[in-house]
Structures are given as C-alpha cells and as structure tokens.
Amino acid sequence: VAPARAAPQSIATGVALAIAGSIAFSGKAIIVKLAYRHGVDAVTLIMYRMLFALPLFLLMAWWAERQPSARAQPLTRSDMLGIGALGFTGYYLSSYLDFVGLQYISASLERLILYLNPTLVMLLSWLIFKKPLQPLRVVAMAISYSGVLLVFGHEVSLGGEDAVLGSTLVFVSAVTYAIYLIMSGQLVQRIGAMRLVGLASSVASVCCSLQFLWMRPMSALWVPSEVFWLSLVNATLCTVVPLVLIMMAIERIGAALTSQAGMIGPMATIALGVWLLDEPFNAWTGMGTLLVLGGVYMVSKLGDR
C-alpha cells in the first residue's frame, strides 16, 4: 500500500514509474520474437541478453553493497548458496524456458501466461505453506485461467502441437519464477532487494554463458548484427531499466499500487505485437486479456486485506 503521507506528486511519479517499467518489461517478448526472425536460437539469444546485462547487474550489486545496511549485514555462506539457487531458478531457468516457449506461441499469449504469476504464488503458498485459500481468491484465479485458456484454445486451433509445447514451456517458466518469489522472501529481508537482484541476476548471466559454451560451438557467436542490437536493447531497456523503475515505484507507492499500475503490461505487449510483429488482435485475444486482468486485479485487491 502506498505510504499514508505520500504527496500527490510522489504518488503520480510512482504510478508513472510503474507504468513505464511494466511497458519496458513487456517489450522483452517483442524483442525476442524479432530476433528469431534472423535465425538465432534461444540458447544463443539468451546468452547475449544476459552477457550484455551482466555489467549492469554487477554495478547494481556493487552499489547495493556500498549501502550502510549492506555493510551491517555481510553475506554468509548460507546467503551465497541461497543467492546461487535463486539466480539459477528465478532468473536463468525461468528466462530460458520463456525464450524457448516464445519460439512457438505469440507474444500476447506469452505475456498473459506470465501474468498468472500472482495466482501461482498464491497456489504454491497454499501447497507448500498450507496458507488457506479464500473462496473469492479461487473465483479470481478461475477467471484469470479461463482467460488464458480462451486465448490458448484459439492458438492451438491455429498452431496445433507447437502452441501446446510453447504454452507449456512458458507456464513452467512462470511456475519457476513463482517459486523464486516465494523462496526469496526471507533473503530479501536480510540482504535487500537491490542486492539480491544484482547478485542473483549475475549468477543467471554466468549460467547462460556456460550453457552456451556447453551446447554450442564458438562459431555460433557470429550472428547477424541485428541480433546484437536487439540483444543490447533487451538487456538494457527491457531487463535492467524496468527492474530499477519498478523498485523506484515500490519505494514511492508500495507494492500493491505498483502491481495494479503494472496491469498495463499485457495490453502493451498486445499493442506492440500487433504493431511490430503483425500478430492478429481478435475477439479471443481481447476477451482473454480482460478475463486475465480482471482475475489478477481481484487477487491484488484481496491481497490488500
């Protein structure tokens, strides 16, 4: 919830930051789909994205380490193991599955599946920590999932098994990221969000580079120049910059309002997909998007209680 004494100007700034961050995040799927047109594969593409982002992640971690709170809370061996596990699960594995899934489905469906994340966190919390589910939360989840199934059903009728494979990969990506969010709670409180993101993302960058060296010959480094530029944009404007913008928004208006402002993300992905990728916008996509956003909005409002 936004701070009680936050000035209207501060709230407006926070909402603007949240919207900008959400739109920037939504561009990732568009950039990936554009890069695939140049014949690059997921292993190479995610390697370049994370390699270009690594200096910025290291800078983020360095800046966080210099803060007084970090100096008062040095990293323990347990912290480092936790950072490594979270970096592998939440940033490397989740991102890789997402990139592979985008080879088979539209950017619009990918964003809608990933936007189920709040409901996945709620379901996993119920399964792992036995947190009770309110009936209204179950209704909200049913609404969101019906929206995804609506768009998914339409894409299956067009893409067949490819759409099933792509949707499954992206859904598992969303699950792994939800696991990261649940398991990172205590570590975030101990070492700080900026510090955790910088260090865990650096771990993920190393994992992506090692995966490339293991699975691809060095000759695969040579890709069309367009892929370099798209990867640079993906690493900066669609990865690091939105992370910082969202953190700044949360600092000003709180996580709940930031999440609600971020609901523009799927709409931005659909608009960019229609504009840049020539993806169709039809009644199935429109109705599915409204259902997903409605269900997630209900979950976020219920989470405030």
Side-chain angles (χ1 to χ4, degrees):
V1 180
R5 297 186 180 181
Q9 184 177 1
S10 177
I11 294 176
T13 301
V15 170
L17 288 169
I19 291 174
S22 181
I23 293 175
F25 264 134
S26 70
K28 180 262 299 177
I30 308 300
I31 296 295
V32 172
K33 297 288 282 188
L34 288 172
Y36 280 149
R37 293 180 175 181
H38 298 282
V40 68
D41 64 11
V43 172
T44 305
L45 191 59
I46 195 172
M47 182 276 295
Y48 271 119
R49 176 218 191 186
M50 299 303 286
L51 186 65
F52 288 146
L54 179 57
L56 298 174
F57 287 138
L58 292 174
L59 181 62
M60 188 186 301
W62 173 81
W63 182 86
E65 288 286 350
R66 291 178 61 86
Q67 303 309 301
S69 58
R71 294 175 182 177
Q73 198 69 263
L75 294 177
T76 65
R77 186 172 182 273
S78 177
D79 291 336
M80 290 187 285
L81 289 174
I83 290 169
L86 291 174
F88 179 86
T89 304
Y91 288 100
Y92 160 67
L93 184 58
S94 178
S95 295
Y96 177 62
L97 293 171
D98 181 38
F99 270 53
V100 177
L102 271 168
Q103 294 179 108
Y104 305 105
I105 61 175
S106 68
S108 302
L109 178 56
E110 180 258 7
R111 180 53 47 184
L112 291 179
I113 294 173
L114 292 183
Y115 213 69
L116 294 174
N117 198 262
T119 67
L120 290 171
V121 170
M122 192 164 57
L123 280 173
L124 289 172
S125 297
W126 172 63
L127 289 171
I128 298 172
F129 302 112
K130 308 303 180 185
K131 290 186 177 180
L133 284 178
Q134 300 175 12
L136 284 177
R137 288 177 181 265
V138 177
V139 172
M141 285 191 294
I143 292 172
S144 287
Y145 283 83
S146 65
V148 171
L149 288 174
L150 196 64
V151 180
F152 168 73
H154 179 65
E155 289 214 11
V156 167
S157 68
L158 300 176
E161 293 182 2
D162 282 351
V164 175
L165 175 59
S167 298
T168 302
L169 289 169
V170 174
F171 184 76
V172 176
S173 167
V175 171
T176 58
Y177 192 71
I179 292 172
Y180 157 78
L181 290 175
I182 291 174
M183 298 305 178
S184 65
Q186 292 185 343
L187 201 54
V188 167
Q189 292 179 1
R190 173 174 163 74
I191 71 175
M194 184 76 77
R195 200 178 179 194
L196 176 60
V197 169
L199 292 173
S201 300
S202 298
V203 170
S205 298
V206 173
C207 289
C208 291
S209 298
L210 292 176
Q211 175 184 251
F212 175 84
L213 293 173
W214 177 47
M215 298 181 66
R216 297 289 182 270
M218 294 303 293
S219 59
L221 285 170
W222 301 105
V223 294
S225 59
E226 292 87 351
V227 174
F228 283 109
W229 290 110
L230 287 169
S231 296
L232 184 60
V233 171
N234 201 357
T236 54
L237 297 182
C238 301
T239 302
V240 178
V241 169
L243 278 173
V244 175
L245 291 175
I246 294 297
M247 285 181 183
M248 292 171 64
I250 291 173
E251 189 176 46
R252 286 167 172 77
I253 61 176
L257 187 52
T258 297
S259 175
Q260 291 167 27
M263 294 182 76
I264 195 173
M267 300 302 297
T269 302
I270 292 171
L272 289 171
V274 171
W275 177 34
L276 297 174
L277 302 175
D278 295 323
E279 291 185 351
F281 180 77
N282 48 46
W284 299 95
T285 304
M287 181 60 70
T289 302
L290 290 176
L291 288 170
V292 171
L293 293 179
V296 171
Y297 179 75
M298 287 178 64
V299 169
S300 67
K301 293 300 289 183
L302 289 168
D304 293 341
R305 298 180 181 180

